[in-house]
Short mmCIF file of all heavy atoms in Angstrom, two decimals:
data_model
loop_
_atom_site.label_atom_id
_atom_site.label_comp_id
_atom_site.label_asym_id
_atom_site.label_seq_id
_atom_site.Cartn_x
_atom_site.Cartn_y
_atom_site.Cartn_z
N VAL H 194 20.56 -40.59 -19.09
CA VAL H 194 20.13 -41.23 -20.33
C VAL H 194 20.53 -40.37 -21.52
O VAL H 194 21.05 -40.88 -22.53
CB VAL H 194 18.60 -41.49 -20.32
CG1 VAL H 194 18.09 -41.86 -21.70
CG2 VAL H 194 18.26 -42.57 -19.32
N ALA H 195 20.34 -39.07 -21.41
CA ALA H 195 20.70 -38.15 -22.50
C ALA H 195 22.20 -38.18 -22.75
O ALA H 195 22.64 -38.21 -23.90
CB ALA H 195 20.24 -36.74 -22.18
N GLU H 196 22.99 -38.20 -21.70
CA GLU H 196 24.45 -38.24 -21.84
C GLU H 196 24.89 -39.56 -22.48
O GLU H 196 25.75 -39.57 -23.35
CB GLU H 196 25.13 -38.04 -20.48
CG GLU H 196 26.64 -37.97 -20.57
CD GLU H 196 27.15 -36.88 -21.50
OE1 GLU H 196 26.54 -35.79 -21.56
OE2 GLU H 196 28.16 -37.12 -22.19
N THR H 197 24.30 -40.66 -22.05
CA THR H 197 24.61 -41.96 -22.62
C THR H 197 24.27 -41.96 -24.10
O THR H 197 25.05 -42.44 -24.94
CB THR H 197 23.83 -43.08 -21.91
OG1 THR H 197 24.18 -43.06 -20.53
CG2 THR H 197 24.12 -44.43 -22.49
N TYR H 198 23.12 -41.41 -24.45
CA TYR H 198 22.71 -41.33 -25.85
C TYR H 198 23.71 -40.50 -26.66
O TYR H 198 24.12 -40.90 -27.74
CB TYR H 198 21.31 -40.72 -25.95
CG TYR H 198 20.89 -40.46 -27.37
CD1 TYR H 198 20.41 -41.49 -28.17
CD2 TYR H 198 20.98 -39.19 -27.92
CE1 TYR H 198 20.04 -41.27 -29.48
CE2 TYR H 198 20.61 -38.95 -29.23
CZ TYR H 198 20.14 -39.99 -30.01
OH TYR H 198 19.78 -39.75 -31.30
N ARG H 199 24.10 -39.34 -26.13
CA ARG H 199 25.06 -38.48 -26.82
C ARG H 199 26.38 -39.21 -27.05
O ARG H 199 26.97 -39.15 -28.13
CB ARG H 199 25.32 -37.20 -26.03
CG ARG H 199 24.41 -36.04 -26.40
CD ARG H 199 24.90 -34.74 -25.80
NE ARG H 199 24.74 -34.68 -24.35
CZ ARG H 199 23.60 -34.38 -23.72
NH1 ARG H 199 22.54 -34.10 -24.41
NH2 ARG H 199 23.56 -34.34 -22.42
N GLN H 200 26.84 -39.90 -26.02
CA GLN H 200 28.12 -40.61 -26.11
C GLN H 200 28.04 -41.73 -27.16
O GLN H 200 28.93 -41.87 -27.99
CB GLN H 200 28.47 -41.20 -24.74
CG GLN H 200 29.93 -41.43 -24.54
CD GLN H 200 30.25 -41.64 -23.07
OE1 GLN H 200 29.37 -41.71 -22.23
NE2 GLN H 200 31.52 -41.75 -22.77
N LYS H 201 26.97 -42.51 -27.12
CA LYS H 201 26.83 -43.60 -28.09
C LYS H 201 26.67 -43.04 -29.49
O LYS H 201 27.17 -43.62 -30.45
CB LYS H 201 25.64 -44.48 -27.73
CG LYS H 201 25.91 -45.34 -26.52
CD LYS H 201 24.82 -46.33 -26.26
CE LYS H 201 25.17 -47.13 -25.03
NZ LYS H 201 24.66 -48.46 -25.06
N SER H 202 26.00 -41.92 -29.61
CA SER H 202 25.82 -41.28 -30.91
C SER H 202 27.17 -40.84 -31.48
O SER H 202 27.45 -41.06 -32.66
CB SER H 202 24.89 -40.07 -30.76
OG SER H 202 24.72 -39.42 -31.98
N LYS H 203 28.01 -40.25 -30.64
CA LYS H 203 29.34 -39.83 -31.08
C LYS H 203 30.19 -41.03 -31.47
O LYS H 203 30.91 -41.00 -32.47
CB LYS H 203 30.06 -39.04 -29.98
CG LYS H 203 29.59 -37.62 -29.85
CD LYS H 203 30.37 -36.88 -28.79
CE LYS H 203 29.87 -35.46 -28.65
NZ LYS H 203 30.61 -34.72 -27.62
N GLU H 204 30.11 -42.11 -30.68
CA GLU H 204 30.87 -43.32 -30.99
C GLU H 204 30.43 -43.90 -32.33
O GLU H 204 31.26 -44.30 -33.15
CB GLU H 204 30.68 -44.37 -29.89
CG GLU H 204 31.38 -44.03 -28.60
CD GLU H 204 31.02 -44.98 -27.47
OE1 GLU H 204 30.32 -46.00 -27.71
OE2 GLU H 204 31.44 -44.73 -26.33
N LEU H 205 29.13 -43.92 -32.57
CA LEU H 205 28.61 -44.45 -33.82
C LEU H 205 29.03 -43.58 -35.00
O LEU H 205 29.44 -44.09 -36.04
CB LEU H 205 27.08 -44.54 -33.76
CG LEU H 205 26.37 -45.08 -34.99
CD1 LEU H 205 26.86 -46.49 -35.31
CD2 LEU H 205 24.87 -45.06 -34.79
N GLU H 206 28.97 -42.27 -34.81
CA GLU H 206 29.39 -41.34 -35.86
C GLU H 206 30.87 -41.56 -36.20
O GLU H 206 31.25 -41.63 -37.37
CB GLU H 206 29.15 -39.91 -35.41
CG GLU H 206 29.42 -38.88 -36.46
CD GLU H 206 29.11 -37.46 -35.99
OE1 GLU H 206 28.50 -37.29 -34.93
OE2 GLU H 206 29.53 -36.53 -36.69
N HIS H 207 31.69 -41.70 -35.17
CA HIS H 207 33.12 -41.93 -35.37
C HIS H 207 33.34 -43.26 -36.11
O HIS H 207 34.15 -43.33 -37.03
CB HIS H 207 33.85 -41.95 -34.03
CG HIS H 207 35.30 -42.27 -34.15
ND1 HIS H 207 36.22 -41.40 -34.69
CD2 HIS H 207 36.00 -43.38 -33.80
CE1 HIS H 207 37.41 -41.96 -34.68
NE2 HIS H 207 37.30 -43.17 -34.15
N HIS H 208 32.61 -44.28 -35.71
CA HIS H 208 32.73 -45.59 -36.35
C HIS H 208 32.34 -45.51 -37.83
O HIS H 208 33.01 -46.08 -38.69
CB HIS H 208 31.86 -46.62 -35.62
CG HIS H 208 31.85 -47.96 -36.27
ND1 HIS H 208 32.94 -48.80 -36.24
CD2 HIS H 208 30.90 -48.59 -36.98
CE1 HIS H 208 32.64 -49.91 -36.91
NE2 HIS H 208 31.41 -49.80 -37.37
N LEU H 209 31.25 -44.81 -38.12
CA LEU H 209 30.80 -44.68 -39.50
C LEU H 209 31.81 -43.90 -40.34
O LEU H 209 32.08 -44.27 -41.49
CB LEU H 209 29.43 -43.99 -39.56
CG LEU H 209 28.26 -44.83 -39.05
CD1 LEU H 209 26.99 -43.98 -39.01
CD2 LEU H 209 28.04 -46.05 -39.91
N GLU H 210 32.37 -42.84 -39.78
CA GLU H 210 33.38 -42.06 -40.51
C GLU H 210 34.61 -42.93 -40.78
O GLU H 210 35.15 -42.92 -41.89
CB GLU H 210 33.78 -40.82 -39.71
CG GLU H 210 32.74 -39.73 -39.70
CD GLU H 210 33.10 -38.58 -38.78
OE1 GLU H 210 34.15 -38.63 -38.10
OE2 GLU H 210 32.31 -37.61 -38.75
N SER H 211 35.03 -43.67 -39.78
CA SER H 211 36.20 -44.54 -39.91
C SER H 211 35.93 -45.62 -40.96
O SER H 211 36.78 -45.91 -41.81
CB SER H 211 36.51 -45.17 -38.56
OG SER H 211 37.55 -46.10 -38.68
N SER H 212 34.76 -46.18 -40.91
CA SER H 212 34.38 -47.22 -41.86
C SER H 212 34.33 -46.67 -43.28
O SER H 212 34.82 -47.31 -44.22
CB SER H 212 33.02 -47.79 -41.46
OG SER H 212 32.70 -48.89 -42.23
N ALA H 213 33.77 -45.49 -43.44
CA ALA H 213 33.69 -44.86 -44.76
C ALA H 213 35.09 -44.57 -45.29
O ALA H 213 35.38 -44.78 -46.48
CB ALA H 213 32.87 -43.59 -44.69
N ARG H 214 35.97 -44.09 -44.41
CA ARG H 214 37.34 -43.80 -44.79
C ARG H 214 38.04 -45.08 -45.25
O ARG H 214 38.74 -45.09 -46.26
CB ARG H 214 38.08 -43.17 -43.61
CG ARG H 214 39.15 -42.19 -44.02
CD ARG H 214 39.79 -41.46 -42.83
NE ARG H 214 38.82 -40.81 -41.97
CZ ARG H 214 38.65 -41.11 -40.67
NH1 ARG H 214 39.39 -42.02 -40.08
NH2 ARG H 214 37.76 -40.46 -39.94
N SER H 215 37.84 -46.15 -44.51
CA SER H 215 38.46 -47.43 -44.87
C SER H 215 37.97 -47.92 -46.23
O SER H 215 38.77 -48.39 -47.05
CB SER H 215 38.13 -48.50 -43.82
OG SER H 215 38.73 -48.16 -42.59
N ARG H 216 36.67 -47.81 -46.45
CA ARG H 216 36.12 -48.22 -47.76
C ARG H 216 36.68 -47.37 -48.87
O ARG H 216 37.03 -47.87 -49.94
CB ARG H 216 34.59 -48.11 -47.75
CG ARG H 216 33.89 -49.31 -47.17
CD ARG H 216 32.43 -49.30 -47.51
NE ARG H 216 31.76 -48.09 -47.06
CZ ARG H 216 31.17 -47.93 -45.88
NH1 ARG H 216 31.16 -48.93 -45.02
NH2 ARG H 216 30.59 -46.81 -45.55
N GLU H 217 36.78 -46.07 -48.62
CA GLU H 217 37.32 -45.15 -49.64
C GLU H 217 38.77 -45.51 -49.96
O GLU H 217 39.16 -45.54 -51.13
CB GLU H 217 37.22 -43.71 -49.13
CG GLU H 217 37.60 -42.68 -50.16
CD GLU H 217 37.43 -41.26 -49.63
OE1 GLU H 217 36.48 -41.01 -48.86
OE2 GLU H 217 38.27 -40.42 -50.00
N GLU H 218 39.56 -45.79 -48.94
CA GLU H 218 40.96 -46.16 -49.16
C GLU H 218 41.05 -47.48 -49.92
O GLU H 218 41.88 -47.62 -50.82
CB GLU H 218 41.68 -46.26 -47.81
CG GLU H 218 41.90 -44.92 -47.14
CD GLU H 218 42.37 -45.03 -45.71
OE1 GLU H 218 42.51 -46.18 -45.19
OE2 GLU H 218 42.60 -43.99 -45.09
N ALA H 219 40.20 -48.43 -49.59
CA ALA H 219 40.21 -49.72 -50.29
C ALA H 219 39.84 -49.54 -51.76
O ALA H 219 40.46 -50.13 -52.65
CB ALA H 219 39.25 -50.69 -49.61
N LEU H 220 38.84 -48.71 -52.02
CA LEU H 220 38.45 -48.45 -53.41
C LEU H 220 39.56 -47.74 -54.18
O LEU H 220 39.81 -48.05 -55.34
CB LEU H 220 37.16 -47.62 -53.45
CG LEU H 220 35.88 -48.36 -53.09
CD1 LEU H 220 34.71 -47.39 -52.98
CD2 LEU H 220 35.57 -49.46 -54.09
N THR H 221 40.22 -46.81 -53.53
CA THR H 221 41.32 -46.09 -54.17
C THR H 221 42.44 -47.07 -54.54
O THR H 221 42.98 -47.01 -55.65
CB THR H 221 41.86 -44.99 -53.23
OG1 THR H 221 40.79 -44.10 -52.91
CG2 THR H 221 42.99 -44.21 -53.87
N ARG H 222 42.77 -47.97 -53.62
CA ARG H 222 43.81 -48.98 -53.91
C ARG H 222 43.38 -49.89 -55.07
O ARG H 222 44.16 -50.19 -55.96
CB ARG H 222 44.08 -49.85 -52.66
CG ARG H 222 45.02 -49.21 -51.67
CD ARG H 222 45.51 -50.22 -50.64
NE ARG H 222 44.44 -50.90 -49.92
CZ ARG H 222 43.84 -50.41 -48.83
NH1 ARG H 222 44.22 -49.27 -48.31
NH2 ARG H 222 42.88 -51.09 -48.23
N GLU H 223 42.11 -50.31 -55.03
CA GLU H 223 41.62 -51.20 -56.08
C GLU H 223 41.65 -50.50 -57.44
O GLU H 223 42.05 -51.10 -58.45
CB GLU H 223 40.19 -51.64 -55.75
CG GLU H 223 39.69 -52.73 -56.65
CD GLU H 223 38.34 -53.27 -56.22
OE1 GLU H 223 37.93 -53.07 -55.06
OE2 GLU H 223 37.68 -53.89 -57.08
N ILE H 224 41.27 -49.24 -57.49
CA ILE H 224 41.32 -48.48 -58.74
C ILE H 224 42.75 -48.38 -59.25
O ILE H 224 43.02 -48.58 -60.44
CB ILE H 224 40.69 -47.07 -58.56
CG1 ILE H 224 39.18 -47.21 -58.38
CG2 ILE H 224 41.02 -46.16 -59.73
CD1 ILE H 224 38.48 -45.93 -57.95
N ALA H 225 43.69 -48.09 -58.35
CA ALA H 225 45.10 -48.00 -58.74
C ALA H 225 45.60 -49.34 -59.28
O ALA H 225 46.30 -49.39 -60.30
CB ALA H 225 45.95 -47.56 -57.56
N GLU H 226 45.21 -50.43 -58.62
CA GLU H 226 45.62 -51.75 -59.08
C GLU H 226 45.04 -52.06 -60.46
O GLU H 226 45.71 -52.61 -61.33
CB GLU H 226 45.18 -52.82 -58.08
CG GLU H 226 45.96 -52.80 -56.77
CD GLU H 226 45.36 -53.71 -55.70
OE1 GLU H 226 44.41 -54.47 -56.01
OE2 GLU H 226 45.84 -53.65 -54.56
N LEU H 227 43.77 -51.70 -60.65
CA LEU H 227 43.13 -51.94 -61.95
C LEU H 227 43.79 -51.11 -63.05
O LEU H 227 43.97 -51.60 -64.17
CB LEU H 227 41.63 -51.64 -61.87
CG LEU H 227 40.80 -52.65 -61.09
CD1 LEU H 227 39.38 -52.12 -60.89
CD2 LEU H 227 40.78 -53.99 -61.79
N LYS H 228 44.16 -49.88 -62.72
CA LYS H 228 44.85 -49.04 -63.71
C LYS H 228 46.18 -49.68 -64.10
O LYS H 228 46.53 -49.73 -65.28
CB LYS H 228 45.08 -47.64 -63.15
CG LYS H 228 43.86 -46.76 -63.18
CD LYS H 228 44.19 -45.37 -62.64
CE LYS H 228 42.97 -44.47 -62.67
NZ LYS H 228 43.28 -43.15 -62.12
N GLN H 229 46.92 -50.16 -63.10
CA GLN H 229 48.21 -50.80 -63.37
C GLN H 229 48.01 -52.05 -64.22
O GLN H 229 48.75 -52.28 -65.18
CB GLN H 229 48.93 -51.17 -62.07
CG GLN H 229 49.51 -49.98 -61.34
CD GLN H 229 50.66 -49.37 -62.09
OE1 GLN H 229 50.51 -48.82 -63.18
NE2 GLN H 229 51.85 -49.49 -61.52
N ALA H 230 47.02 -52.86 -63.87
CA ALA H 230 46.75 -54.09 -64.62
C ALA H 230 46.35 -53.76 -66.05
O ALA H 230 46.76 -54.43 -66.99
CB ALA H 230 45.65 -54.89 -63.93
N THR H 231 45.57 -52.71 -66.22
CA THR H 231 45.14 -52.30 -67.56
C THR H 231 46.33 -51.84 -68.38
O THR H 231 46.46 -52.19 -69.56
CB THR H 231 44.10 -51.15 -67.46
OG1 THR H 231 43.02 -51.59 -66.67
CG2 THR H 231 43.59 -50.76 -68.81
N LYS H 232 47.23 -51.08 -67.75
CA LYS H 232 48.41 -50.60 -68.46
C LYS H 232 49.27 -51.77 -68.92
O LYS H 232 49.81 -51.78 -70.01
CB LYS H 232 49.24 -49.67 -67.57
CG LYS H 232 48.66 -48.31 -67.40
CD LYS H 232 49.56 -47.47 -66.49
CE LYS H 232 48.92 -46.13 -66.22
NZ LYS H 232 49.72 -45.35 -65.27
N ARG H 233 49.40 -52.79 -68.09
CA ARG H 233 50.23 -53.95 -68.42
C ARG H 233 49.61 -54.81 -69.53
O ARG H 233 50.31 -55.40 -70.31
CB ARG H 233 50.44 -54.82 -67.18
CG ARG H 233 51.56 -54.31 -66.29
CD ARG H 233 51.84 -55.27 -65.16
NE ARG H 233 51.38 -54.58 -63.94
CZ ARG H 233 50.58 -55.07 -63.03
NH1 ARG H 233 50.14 -56.29 -63.11
NH2 ARG H 233 50.24 -54.36 -61.98
#
Side-chain angles (χ1 to χ4, degrees):
V194 167
E196 184 57 36
T197 300
Y198 173 79
R199 268 192 290 278
Q200 204 164 6
K201 287 187 181 210
S202 179
K203 282 182 181 180
E204 288 172 7
L205 180 59
E206 186 177 349
H207 177 71
H208 176 72
L209 289 173
E210 286 174 357
S211 175
S212 187
R214 212 174 306 119
S215 294
R216 275 195 303 269
E217 187 177 324
E218 290 169 358
L220 286 172
T221 302
R222 278 193 304 274
E223 190 174 341
I224 289 170
E226 289 170 7
L227 288 170
K228 282 181 179 179
Q229 286 292 66
T231 303
K232 285 180 185 176
R233 278 186 250 129

